[in-house]
Amino acid sequence: MTAPDTRRRRVVAWLALAPAVPATAKSDASPSPIAQPPVPGPRAWAGRALALRDEAVRRGDQPYGAVVVRDGVIVGEGVSAVVTRADPAAHAERVAIADALRRSGSPDLAGASLYGSSPACGACRAAARDARIARLYHGADAVDDGPPA
């Protein structure tokens, strides 16, 4: 087993520990469909990340939101839950990656892009890399941060 395979297994195992559904939902409920923007594209996906940032603030958390996009469709989304879950690892980007992995049933997110309300921190970049996300973007203008290195 190579080092990247080991890291990928480690991040997928970590993400599997994240709650599968919100605490208020039934545990046997499947995730609700993700609303898609009427006109898909980088600005629309960045706009969704910013809307999730605002949702995080409404929930009493840090102002961060993120979405994972693959093949022109939002496949995962997340809001910061660092404060509300008392989990220092529940960054919006990691929550979005976990959501996308859970919804896709895939072991990775090869070819996907991650749109965040702000630049990803080092830990979130590492999680994106280990999930095989191809590119990172941030902010309202969808600034291209390149591949997660």
Side-chain angles (χ1 to χ4, degrees):
M1 181 179 314
T2 65
D5 288 337
T6 302
R7 281 194 303 267
R8 189 170 19 266
R9 286 182 185 211
R10 203 171 41 233
V11 77
V12 170
W14 174 84
L15 291 169
L17 296 175
V21 293
T24 57
K26 292 182 180 179
S27 60
D28 60 348
S30 61
S32 59
I34 296 175
Q36 300 297 319
V39 179
R43 290 226 176 204
W45 300 321
R48 180 62 184 149
L50 294 174
L52 291 168
R53 174 199 63 192
D54 296 343
E55 176 62 26
V57 171
R58 277 192 293 280
R59 292 180 181 186
D61 220 296
Q62 298 174 335
Y64 302 106
V67 297
V68 176
V69 176
R70 184 158 47 179
D71 299 325
V73 176
I74 297 174
V75 296
E77 52 186 21
V79 298
S80 175
V82 170
V83 175
T84 55
R85 284 191 203 162
D87 179 357
H91 294 195
E93 296 87 348
R94 290 182 184 184
V95 173
I97 291 168
D99 185 46
L101 287 168
R102 184 174 56 254
R103 288 173 186 273
S104 71
S106 173
D108 64 49
L109 300 168
S113 296
L114 178 66
Y115 288 80
S117 56
S118 63
C121 71
C124 291
R125 291 181 76 83
R129 181 194 63 232
D130 291 345
R132 299 185 61 203
I133 288 177
R135 293 199 82 75
L136 302 176
Y137 300 89
H138 75 273
D141 293 328
V143 175
D144 187 347
D145 282 339

